[in-house]
Amino acid sequence: GIHLAPKEKLNIPVLFMPDAMKIHKAEVVVHVMRESGENWAYEQSAGSNKDLNRNVSQAKNGGIQGILWRYPVHGIPEAPQQKLVVICCQARQRVEQRVEMLLIGVVPDATAARNSDMANTDNSANIQKVQVTDGVSATAEFLYEWQYQSNEIRSQLESLVGMHLVQKEWDTESGIVTLVFNVVFAPNKPMRIKVTLVIQWAAGGVWKFPMLFIATEAGVDDVIDIEAVGLNKESIVGFTLTSQTR
């Protein structure tokens, strides 16, 4: 019963309040009819488009009584941002650190949805797959990837950081999945870069873990001693510098 004037806008509020870390799907349908009650002329044939027929409501006389716009809505719950993980290393050194990620709210009943549309979002070479099982029947699939603030940061950090999964555990009673990663950081110069590790459950649900990589000043390479041969006379020593790139 909402009347709209020509060119008038209508805002339709959509509220999403998930009770579990899984995807929820709905459809918002907008049904429009003429204010005068008149129908649009329409002749349905055997070859009529099925999608078109789905988006109109026909009158008894064969005309179109109303037009429908259908907006699919996918509600993907996102956990609150987690505590910052800091990994620090001196430039030109290498550090390995185990990082534990806790995914809270993984409900076993939702595992049936892991073959949903969310599982088809794996179209990037940077996305890794993880399967977690409690050893009985329930299995959950997770996708994880780095999220960079810019392509420049990606090019700086991508070759300096490595990460692989070393341990996985799912407590079905508490709904907590524990993923333990081994992170290797080998910086070649001082830097301070923040990235985000995004973990997505195939059944819907996203956890984001901010990580800060800090590379401090490199240590002294060598000490050069120059002995004087006398006042107002030059003393010369030679040393070699090797470029790391072309």
Side-chain angles (χ1 to χ4, degrees), residues 153-167:
I153 293 178
R154 177 193 292 270
S155 62
Q156 289 179 1
L157 197 62
E158 205 166 32
S159 61
L160 307 178
V161 176
M163 183 181 71
H164 69 275
L165 186 71
V166 295
Q167 185 178 340

Side-chain angles (χ1 to χ4, degrees), residues 2-92:
I2 300 175
H3 288 75
L4 287 180
K7 303 294 183 179
E8 186 178 357
K9 294 182 179 180
L10 172 65
N11 292 323
I12 301 177
V14 177
L15 175 65
F16 178 49
M17 190 171 61
D19 56 357
M21 292 294 288
K22 62 180 180 180
I23 189 173
H24 297 72
K25 297 182 180 181
E27 188 176 55
V28 176
V29 180
V30 180
H31 189 193
V32 176
M33 297 178 290
R34 284 181 171 176
E35 186 178 19
S36 61
E38 298 179 358
N39 299 329
W40 288 278
Y42 174 65
E43 294 183 3
Q44 183 178 5
S45 62
S48 296
N49 189 297
K50 293 182 179 180
D51 291 336
L52 177 62
N53 296 333
R54 179 175 178 266
N55 293 319
V56 298
S57 58
Q58 297 184 17
K60 293 181 180 180
N61 59 6
I64 294 179
Q65 185 180 20
I67 302 175
L68 290 83
W69 281 265
R70 301 177 183 271
Y71 299 90
V73 179
H74 289 187
I76 303 174
E78 182 174 315
Q81 184 163 293
Q82 307 299 310
K83 184 179 178 181
L84 179 68
V85 177
V86 179
I87 297 180
C88 188
C89 180
Q90 190 178 32
R92 298 207 300 271

Side-chain angles (χ1 to χ4, degrees), residues 166-184:
V166 295
Q167 185 178 340
K168 51 192 177 182
E169 181 181 349
W170 183 13
D171 188 339
T172 54
E173 293 185 0
S174 63
I176 298 177
V177 169
T178 303
L179 301 180
V180 181
F181 295 92
N182 187 59
V183 181
V184 178

Side-chain angles (χ1 to χ4, degrees), residues 201-234:
W201 187 15
V206 176
W207 294 262
K208 293 184 178 182
F209 299 87
M211 302 185 69
L212 179 63
F213 291 91
I214 302 175
T216 58
E217 291 286 344
V220 176
D221 292 306
D222 202 355
V223 177
I224 300 172
D225 294 324
I226 304 178
E227 295 184 1
V229 297
L231 293 175
N232 299 319
K233 293 183 179 180
E234 291 182 351

Side-chain angles (χ1 to χ4, degrees), residues 125-145:
N126 297 318
I127 296 180
Q128 305 293 327
K129 288 186 178 181
V130 179
Q131 283 196 342
V132 182
T133 178
D134 63 352
V136 184
S137 58
T139 302
E141 184 178 62
F142 296 89
L143 310 174
Y144 67 90
E145 65 173 338

